[in-house]
């Protein structure tokens, strides 16, 4: 699931995924800042993505539901 990073502290990040905020581990990513977009799986931010990637993923998810 794509999510926007709201806050980063001590290896954890608060992210916003379609309006739902949750805390995820950011340990796998070297550099993460508020405003970045990440792909989240099982409570872990696994990759940084671009704003365009997030828009495309959201579109695909809407089509599937």
């Amino acid at each position: 699931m794509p999510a926007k990073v709201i806050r980063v502290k001590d290896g954890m990040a608060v992210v916003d995924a379609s309006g739902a905020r949750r805390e995820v581990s950011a340990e796998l990513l070297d550099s993460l800042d508020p405003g970045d977009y990440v792909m989240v799986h099982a409570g872990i931010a696994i990759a940084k993505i671009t704003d365009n990637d997030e828009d495309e993923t959201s579109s695909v998810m809407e089509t599937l539901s």
Side-chain angles (χ1 to χ4, degrees):
M1 128 178 37
K4 182 176 182 181
V5 176
I6 305 300
R7 183 174 52 247
V8 181
K9 184 177 179 182
D10 299 327
M12 298 298 286
V14 174
V15 299
D16 182 317
S18 300
R21 289 192 178 191
R22 57 189 245 185
E23 189 172 51
V24 300
S25 172
E27 297 278 331
L28 295 179
L29 303 177
D30 291 330
S31 173
L32 196 58
D33 297 306
D36 288 343
Y37 284 86
V38 294
M39 187 60 66
V40 176
H41 178 70
I44 302 170
I46 58 173
K48 282 175 94 170
I49 58 176
T50 67
D51 198 11
N52 290 336
D53 292 334
E54 195 275 336
D55 291 340
E56 184 178 341
T57 302
S58 294
S59 176
V60 169
M61 295 302 285
E62 286 178 21
T63 302
L64 294 174
S65 43

